Amino acid sequence: MTWMDITQPLGPTIGHWPGDTPFSYTTAFTKQQTGSVNIGKITTSLHTGTHADAPFHFLDSGPKISELDIHCFIGQARVIDVSAESIINKEALSRFHLDGAERLLLKTAVRSNPGVFPEKITAIHPDCGPYLKEKGICLIGVEVPSVDQLDSRDMAAHHALYENGVQILENLVLEKINPGDYELIALPLLIEGADGSPVRAVIRRRGGVE
């Protein structure tokens, strides 16, 4: 029942979207300067490292991160291994037992590598949105920076998931996590007006299915 961290560590070498704001941490004021404490400062894109997407990220009228239901980010989650699939669609997911899953975390052929932004990923097909809703799943998590192809402009998977009530976690670290049922905590920060947020994602085994 040990909690396991599935978060990419934020640091100076972490990969980020090309052209986006890289992560940096500096000590803005030292204890020597203040006389009492060190004070740090971070600069980052909200989509660097392990993070949650808000619908506002891809839809101007969509809810902001502070408006999302936090219950979707806490609770029972099922990890499945879809690394044999070239694309993750309804047909691929239907080969797995998803009844009662509530939240779904996907191990894909492209593993999370915090220091390298991938050149290619295994994307989510839009037909997963209605299928996940049918199964009662409110959140999907992936090991890569996006549920859509990296060069996508229509963001079809993002839209399909949102339209079916499925929240999105990206850049999880699942390489050492076996398929099965877990408890998940992956809370986004309460950032008003934001299109996403870093999360600290942790899971612990519940004794699940293979």
Side-chain angles (χ1 to χ4, degrees), residues 85-103:
E85 308 295 336
S86 58
I87 187 167
I88 303 164
N89 55 17
K90 175 181 177 180
E91 180 181 356
L93 293 182
S94 68
R95 292 192 277 271
F96 295 86
H97 176 71
L98 300 184
D99 291 345
E102 299 182 18
R103 296 157 193 84

Side-chain angles (χ1 to χ4, degrees), residues 71-82:
H71 295 90
C72 283
F73 298 93
I74 308 171
Q76 190 272 343
R78 186 162 299 162
V79 176
I80 64 172
D81 189 337
V82 293

Side-chain angles (χ1 to χ4, degrees), residues 105-106 124 140-147 169-172 174:
L105 310 181
L106 306 181
I124 304 295
I140 189 169
V142 296
E143 296 179 282
V144 290
S146 180
V147 293
L169 292 177
E170 294 168 334
N171 277 338
L172 297 173
L174 300 173

